[in-house]
Amino acid sequence: MVATYLTQSPILRVSADALRTLHRTPSNRQANAVRGLLPRRAVLGLGAGTFFWGQPTTMSFTTRGSSFLATARPSSPIDKVLKDVEWPEQFPFREEDFQRFDESSDSLFYEAPRFVTHIDDQAIAALTKYYSRVLPPSNTPGVSILDMCSSWVSHYPKGYKQDRIVGMGMNEEELKRNPVLTEYIVQDLNLNPKLPFEDNSFDAITNVVSVDYLTKPLDVFKEMSRILKPGGQAIMSFSNRCFWTKAISIWTSTGDTDHVMIVGAYFHYAGGFEPPQAVDISPNPGRSDPMYVVYSRKVSSA
């Protein structure tokens, strides 16, 4: 059963207003494709597809062209959200967009270990399969990976190993249980977004269903750019499930397609990354948890 945690609290209305100003309504063909393929979610009384694509807007994110290219799997609108985006000059989000319904200490919220998974088995399998294609092969000499916002499981392929796999998370008991990690660090990125690593240290950074909890995402993504090796990749994966009281308001008040654009904006405005891309790896749309990836690589040195 697909679980979606949303709120209709008036506190979150500012996020819907903010995102509505960031997009130009696409062609009817695109809008119909999105409405037909994306799960509809209740957002302030509207379906996500209707809210995001159906409202007339005034400025900002503009996509050239309206055609959908053929892919190996049935085409998903998610795959095209970040194609040829014309980004605003300035970071378009406001401070209130990163507020949460529950602003109490995150350390208290994550104090008790949760040895559970936050997406269903089919979504996990899809993510693991994706990792098997894009991560450096197991036991590649000199490879270092950072699993950001990690826990007791990283969803890497079975038996996956590297010389260095660092887990960074909020609960030490969970991190101790994670068999893929060679080391771990307990750190609250919402209090301290500075990553305690040297420049150009990692070949890859992964983050599973946690990017929606970052209250200082631009600072974190700038740090990610700093610590990645030139050409290193950052992979942000997410579903439509979350602890909604701790997710940022612009996330809980918007839908899946909006989330792709939000994460893409983090990459773009952090600087140092190639244009971000999105891929829909949902294993059984409508029958299991959806799964989306937004990824980029650190620009290579000249």
Side-chain angles (χ1 to χ4, degrees), residues 5-299:
Y5 304 98
L6 296 171
T7 180
Q8 295 190 12
S9 167
I11 294 175
L12 304 180
R13 289 184 185 276
V14 63
S15 299
D17 293 339
L19 198 61
R20 183 155 45 234
T21 66
L22 297 181
H23 301 271
R24 186 184 70 179
T25 302
S27 69
N28 289 335
R29 180 183 177 190
Q30 289 174 314
N32 290 335
V34 171
R35 294 188 186 105
L37 294 178
L38 289 183
R40 300 180 64 81
R41 304 169 60 196
V43 180
L44 303 181
L46 299 174
T50 302
F51 163 73
F52 180 79
W53 294 108
Q55 295 292 331
T57 57
T58 56
M59 60 166 284
S60 230
F61 294 130
T62 304
T63 304
R64 301 186 187 93
S66 60
S67 62
F68 285 81
L69 301 179
T71 59
R73 52 163 285 164
S75 181
S76 167
I78 291 293
D79 299 337
K80 307 304 175 185
V81 170
L82 295 176
K83 297 293 186 182
D84 299 319
V85 177
E86 295 179 356
W87 300 96
E89 184 175 347
Q90 301 295 326
F91 189 57
F93 304 117
R94 301 169 295 179
E95 182 177 351
E96 53 263 43
D97 293 328
F98 302 102
Q99 295 175 350
R100 285 92 53 81
F101 187 85
D102 177 7
E103 291 288 3
S104 64
S105 170
D106 289 343
S107 295
L108 291 176
F109 185 82
Y110 293 102
E111 183 177 20
R114 295 179 175 91
F115 296 111
V116 297
T117 54
H118 301 286
I119 48 179
D120 65 27
D121 290 344
Q122 294 181 68
I124 290 171
L127 179 61
T128 300
K129 182 178 179 180
Y130 179 80
Y131 279 154
S132 71
R133 297 197 304 266
V134 301
L135 288 178
S138 187
N139 290 308
T140 301
V143 162
S144 295
I145 295 177
L146 172 62
D147 189 28
M148 185 182 293
C149 304
S150 187
S151 64
W152 68 287
V153 61
S154 294
H155 305 310
Y156 295 168
K158 184 178 181 179
Y160 189 80
K161 294 181 180 180
Q162 296 296 357
D163 289 343
R164 188 186 190 198
I165 301 180
V166 183
M168 174 176 281
M170 291 289 293
N171 185 281
E172 185 171 12
E173 292 303 313
E174 292 181 14
L175 295 170
K176 283 182 178 179
R177 186 82 67 90
N178 191 327
V180 77
L181 304 181
T182 61
E183 58 189 277
Y184 66 82
I185 296 171
V186 177
Q187 181 171 322
D188 184 349
L189 293 174
N190 290 339
L191 288 179
N192 177 19
K194 177 74 173 179
L195 301 179
F197 308 108
E198 296 182 357
D199 296 357
N200 307 316
S201 297
F202 291 93
D203 298 272
I205 298 174
T206 58
N207 181 307
V208 182
V209 295
S210 296
V211 68
D212 44 321
Y213 303 120
L214 298 177
T215 62
K216 300 179 176 67
L218 208 55
D219 293 333
V220 172
F221 274 62
K222 287 178 180 178
E223 281 291 284
M224 287 163 49
S225 175
R226 179 184 65 80
I227 68 172
L228 276 172
K229 299 175 184 178
Q233 61 183 329
I235 303 167
M236 306 290 110
S237 59
F238 49 90
S239 185
N240 62 359
R241 301 183 64 172
C242 66
F243 298 116
W244 70 262
T245 61
K246 281 298 184 181
I248 58 173
S249 65
I250 199 170
W251 194 277
T252 56
S253 61
T254 55
D256 298 341
T257 309
D258 309 277
H259 298 160
V260 170
M261 186 66 81
I262 291 167
V263 179
Y266 296 164
F267 276 117
H268 175 80
Y269 291 100
F273 287 103
E274 296 176 356
Q277 299 182 59
V279 59
D280 184 348
I281 61 170
S282 303
N284 294 292
R287 298 188 298 278
S288 64
D289 289 339
M291 202 68 201
Y292 312 112
V293 174
V294 176
Y295 65 95
S296 183
R297 290 185 178 273
K298 181 175 178 176
V299 294

